Amino acid sequence: MRRVFVFVGLTVSLCLGSVAVGQQPTGRGRGGGRGTPIQAGEACPPGTTEIRPRSCMAPELPAPSIVDYRPHSTLVTPVHMVKTAKYPAIDFHGHPQGLLGTPEGLASMGASLDSLNVRMMISADNMSGDRLKNTITSIRGSEKMKDRVRVLAGIDFRNVGPGWAQKAVAQLEADVAAGAVGIGEISKSFGLSIKKPDGSRLKIDDPELDPIWDAAARLKLPVFIHTADPQEFFQPIDYSNERWLELALFGDRRYPQDRFPSFETLMTERDNLFRRHPKTTFVAAHLGWHANDLARLGKMFDEMPNLYSEVGAVLYDIGRQPRGAHDFFVKYQDRILFGKDSFQPEEYPYYWRVFETRDDYFDYYRNYHAFWKLYGIDLPDSVLKKIYYQNALKITPALPQAGWPK
Ligand SMILES: [Zn+2]
């Protein structure tokens, strides 16, 4: 008898919950599906969530903070871990930093790269002068690694004014003579914070810099450039910001708009630079921070044949749009390069898995970048080869060109 009563009671309250929710008075926030009503288009009050259309409720249990909520997916679906890339890769966005200066560092990096099938590391550590020379000497001294590491040359953007360009071009020529194969990584401080001697911000499209871009074209050096940062870093740090956690963790990623140029200002200057130097090959790092708007990057590729881009540290945006990203990578297969950025060997396999599989809904390696899972975009072999090594070889004639698969 008791059992029947419970069953009937439950049914009644569920029915009431779904039919009468909108008519419940405010303040009965818990239990029985009764919520706090809101108007259409209104957000739920803090601490509550929408449980039925226009009805909000607070959890009965204490809610975890954004930092502590780590649900385990119960989805069971085929898993294809990819430890080593299907084809030998060139990491165009390498920051092996300390590892290049000693035989032990080079050997340990070589072992990591072997296990991942990264055949070549391009150091984008903005080196010039003696530091670049010493690094190249160290690389050339390693029998195993001498053909597997190359170095980009840095440009010193301080004190841009009369005489700067001549000096910068001469330094670049010396760095190329020492073995540099390209320019980069030009850092985000170019545009965000570097000043001219008169105290004004050095704009990315400042005409005083033109001779260095022309020299890059003449010397056949790709220019690897990182401009700005994700657009959320320029926006208010509120609870609708997709990067709230990252911004809360790292103060140096916040660009308050009273102290920094806007995202769009930097993008405009950058695009002016690419347009004004059509003979110079530019590689926009991090998919130009447009991985969340691939159509925008596609328009840039269409308009600027001298533009290439690189995928480092934006896997979270590629892997959350598997169909769109697949089509984009196929369409622009001649313009995209593999690069990893921060050198953490255990993170490369996430890239291989996104590019090579059609796996569903799997973890990303940095939770604070993204609150979502990734999907494989299942690229065809011919596209993988271009992205992993052929495009880098094509735009960087000074790389060792022999011995790669056809
Ligand atoms: Zn970098």
Side-chain angles (χ1 to χ4, degrees):
M1 196 60 212
R2 193 165 170 255
R3 198 176 274 170
V4 170
F5 173 78
V6 169
F7 175 75
V8 169
L10 245 181
T11 310
V12 167
S13 88
L14 279 175
C15 289
L16 274 178
S18 56
V19 173
V21 132
Q23 298 145 20
Q24 293 302 324
T26 313
R28 302 186 63 183
R30 286 186 180 173
R34 291 165 183 171
T36 304
I38 52 170
Q39 300 300 314
E42 231 176 39
C44 283
T48 68
T49 191
E50 195 165 15
I51 51 155
R52 296 288 185 278
R54 296 172 300 286
S55 176
C56 306
M57 197 166 92
E60 288 185 342
L61 308 178
S65 88
I66 189 174
V67 183
D68 296 322
Y69 188 54
R70 300 166 200 143
H72 290 193
S73 169
T74 57
L75 182 72
V76 180
T77 182
V79 171
H80 304 91
M81 303 305 278
V82 188
K83 236 184 115 236
T84 57
K86 188 164 184 183
Y87 300 102
I90 295 175
D91 182 350
F92 202 81
H93 191 162
H95 292 298
Q97 273 140 347
L99 295 174
L100 303 185
T102 63
E104 301 76 36
L106 282 162
S108 101
M109 184 179 76
S112 297
L113 297 183
D114 285 345
S115 74
L116 301 162
N117 200 17
V118 174
R119 183 178 292 181
M120 184 163 296
M121 172 63 82
I122 310 284
S123 162
D125 285 330
N126 204 29
M127 284 186 261
S128 187
D130 285 344
R131 195 175 147 226
L132 178 124
K133 273 193 198 156
N134 294 339
T135 302
I136 290 176
T137 302
S138 167
I139 294 163
R140 287 180 178 160
S142 163
E143 198 46 48
K144 179 165 183 247
M145 297 306 290
K146 66 180 187 339
D147 294 326
R148 294 184 56 190
V149 189
R150 287 296 179 269
V151 179
L152 304 182
I155 306 288
D156 184 351
F157 288 103
R158 290 170 300 177
N159 301 312
V160 171
W164 176 87
Q166 208 184 1
K167 250 174 69 187
V169 170
Q171 182 62 56
L172 179 63
E173 285 170 342
D175 289 343
V176 169
V181 301
I183 294 175
E185 173 183 13
I186 295 176
S187 92
K188 59 190 169 188
S189 61
F190 174 48
L192 269 170
S193 55
I194 295 176
K195 302 259 190 297
K196 296 181 83 165
D198 67 4
S200 65
R201 183 176 65 85
L202 176 61
K203 294 184 177 149
I204 297 167
D205 55 356
D206 189 315
E208 292 205 73
L209 306 175
D210 284 347
I212 200 84
W213 313 126
D214 294 339
R218 171 169 54 83
L219 298 166
K220 298 189 173 26
L221 304 172
V223 178
F224 182 46
I225 179 167
H226 174 157
T227 306
D229 254 344
Q231 65 187 61
E232 301 95 312
F233 293 10
F234 297 78
Q235 290 163 355
I237 308 170
D238 59 27
Y239 288 178
S240 67
N241 190 315
E242 269 192 314
R243 305 294 277 270
W244 182 90
L245 181 56
E246 179 166 6
L247 290 166
L249 286 167
F250 303 107
D252 60 354
R253 300 184 190 182
R254 301 170 201 150
Y255 303 120
Q257 290 299 282
D258 56 341
R259 287 198 282 129
F260 289 95
S262 73
F263 181 76
E264 288 304 332
T265 298
L266 295 166
M267 296 297 106
T268 301
E269 292 175 6
R270 176 200 66 184
D271 294 354
N272 290 342
L273 165 68
F274 296 165
R275 276 192 204 100
R276 216 168 52 223
H277 297 275
K279 294 197 173 119
T280 307
T281 297
F282 291 97
V283 182
H286 310 295
L287 291 183
W289 299 120
H290 300 315
N292 61 339
D293 184 0
L294 291 175
R296 179 172 180 171
L297 182 58
K299 261 174 86 174
M300 291 166 63
F301 281 147
D302 291 341
E303 192 203 334
M304 310 167 192
N306 57 327
L307 177 62
Y308 292 77
S309 200
E310 170 274 341
V311 300
V314 290
L315 196 65
Y316 53 86
D317 270 337
I318 299 168
R320 68 164 157 168
Q321 46 178 335
R323 290 167 291 271
H326 169 93
D327 294 351
F328 180 84
F329 275 65
V330 169
K331 181 166 182 192
Y332 296 105
Q333 56 185 271
D334 295 310
R335 315 291 287 280
I336 304 168
L337 280 63
F338 172 72
K340 168 64 181 71
D341 199 355
S342 168
F343 183 62
Q344 310 291 339
E346 62 271 38
E347 293 175 349
Y348 287 74
Y350 290 82
Y351 286 76
W352 314 148
R353 191 176 181 196
V354 166
F355 293 143
E356 298 179 22
T357 80
R358 34 185 296 129
D359 282 2
D360 282 326
Y361 197 78
F362 51 88
D363 284 332
Y364 178 54
Y365 59 82
R366 282 246 176 107
N367 282 335
Y368 68 75
H369 275 172
F371 293 98
W372 51 85
K373 305 285 179 181
L374 305 186
Y375 302 80
I377 71 171
D378 192 26
L379 295 175
D381 289 353
S382 57
V383 175
L384 287 174
K385 288 184 197 172
K386 286 182 178 174
I387 289 164
Y388 282 173
Y389 63 94
Q390 287 173 343
N391 292 338
L393 293 173
K394 179 181 75 179
I395 65 166
T396 320
L399 288 180
Q401 301 278 330
W404 299 88
K406 285 270 176 282

